[in-house]
Amino acid sequence: MDAPVVARDLVKTYQDLIAVRGVSFSVEPGECFGFLGPNGAGKTSVLRMIGCVSPVTSGNLWVNGMSVKTDERQIKALLGIVPQEESLDPDLSVLNNLAIYAGYFGMSGAEGQRRALESLDEFQLLDRSTSQVDELSGGMKRRLLIARGLINRPPIVLLDEPTTGLDPQARHAVWRNLRTLKRAGVTLLLSTHHMDEAAVLCDRIVVMHEGHIVDEGTPRDLIGRHAGETVVEVHSDDPSVLDAAATALTAPNSSVETTEDALYAFGLSAEEIALIELDHTQTVVRPANLEDVFFRLTGRGLQD
């Protein structure tokens, strides 16, 4: 089995809750494979099963040809895991957070120290090696978590919302590190709520909703399939304005979605848009993006 990760009819239940409902997918070597979906969609549950920290309820899951049901120890040894929650040890220095973690993979003290220093240098944290974790900024902590997840030089890395809470500068710094890993041939599995992050990093994406995979494809394919090239937005608190816009934006191949104060029209050609007469102070015409795909496949309501 050449694919680094293969899932077939994968199910995960927690007592009466079915978190993952029979999903199947295959990850190619060296790609960044993304999981998009609202809270509760099942993304983290899938990553936890791949990481052998949560048992599979039913179905099959292989990592590098090994079953998570029988080869848990061998699988954990080759994975790098970057969790969603901040799990660094506040009682240890930045350097020792990595060096001690390296020992879990059988490295000697000297080898772990050397590897830790190299990792801090790669993630631009070498000058903070003697600092305590609580002295780091949020962006530095996330970079340290990623460095810790890579201390064993894993061929497969699981990233569960790695840039949550980061400012734009820190987020882009993490993206640069992840792109470097991709160029080195590392396989990345990424769960994220940032649509721009998925668009920038992911080669392929599965969109999950209520435990199911509702579609899969490259970012470009998903956008083209569900949102087209261009989206027209009309914003107004006046229902009559939105009703008039819905009539004006209806065309043979278009579709329209409305909320309480906005309208979104998909599938209009450039020629059709040019002929529409709308109040331009309330109208935005823009390229379609992954956020449009997300909303069209999972809805615009809040998900608990």
Side-chain angles (χ1 to χ4, degrees), residues 192-211:
T192 181
H193 280 140
H194 291 292
M195 302 300 124
D196 53 346
E197 183 165 275
V200 166
L201 295 176
C202 293
D203 300 294
R204 285 189 300 141
I205 294 168
V206 291
V207 182
M208 296 191 67
H209 185 48
E210 297 180 344

Side-chain angles (χ1 to χ4, degrees), residues 50-216:
I50 296 170
C52 300
V53 296
S54 182
V56 171
T57 302
S58 66
N60 292 292
L61 180 59
W62 298 274
V63 179
N64 265 19
M66 297 179 288
S67 171
V68 300
K69 298 176 181 179
T70 57
D71 303 306
E72 176 181 329
R73 188 178 182 88
Q74 297 95 314
I75 290 171
K76 285 184 174 181
L78 59 83
L79 290 178
I81 298 178
V82 181
Q84 179 180 350
E85 66 279 1
E86 195 267 280
S87 57
L88 299 166
D89 192 331
D91 296 324
L92 298 176
S93 69
V94 167
L95 177 62
N96 284 337
N97 260 276
L98 299 188
I100 290 176
Y101 194 76
Y104 299 155
F105 294 93
M107 297 180 211
S108 66
E111 173 66 9
Q113 191 89 349
R114 183 186 66 80
R115 189 75 64 83
L117 287 170
E118 290 176 353
S119 295
L120 291 178
D121 189 32
E122 289 172 7
F123 284 86
Q124 301 173 29
L125 291 168
L126 192 57
D127 61 337
R128 305 304 298 268
S129 61
T130 60
S131 299
Q132 296 301 115
V133 168
D134 289 343
E135 298 172 20
L136 302 182
S137 67
M140 289 177 178
K141 289 178 181 178
R142 295 308 297 179
R143 278 154 43 206
L144 184 58
L145 272 172
I146 296 173
R148 189 186 68 180
L150 301 175
I151 198 71
N152 57 323
R153 303 287 169 82
I156 304 169
V157 180
L158 312 181
L159 302 126
D160 193 1
E161 299 184 27
T163 61
T164 295
L166 298 189
D167 60 37
Q169 290 89 345
R171 189 162 66 248
H172 279 263
V174 169
W175 291 355
R176 286 194 294 271
N177 292 131
L178 296 181
R179 285 195 294 265
T180 298
L181 291 176
K182 278 184 60 179
R183 287 193 293 270
V186 175
T187 301
L188 306 178
L189 285 83
L190 170 69
S191 169
T192 181
H193 280 140
H194 291 292
M195 302 300 124
D196 53 346
E197 183 165 275
V200 166
L201 295 176
C202 293
D203 300 294
R204 285 189 300 141
I205 294 168
V206 291
V207 182
M208 296 191 67
H209 185 48
E210 297 180 344
H212 298 283
I213 291 177
V214 293
D215 204 357
E216 175 183 343

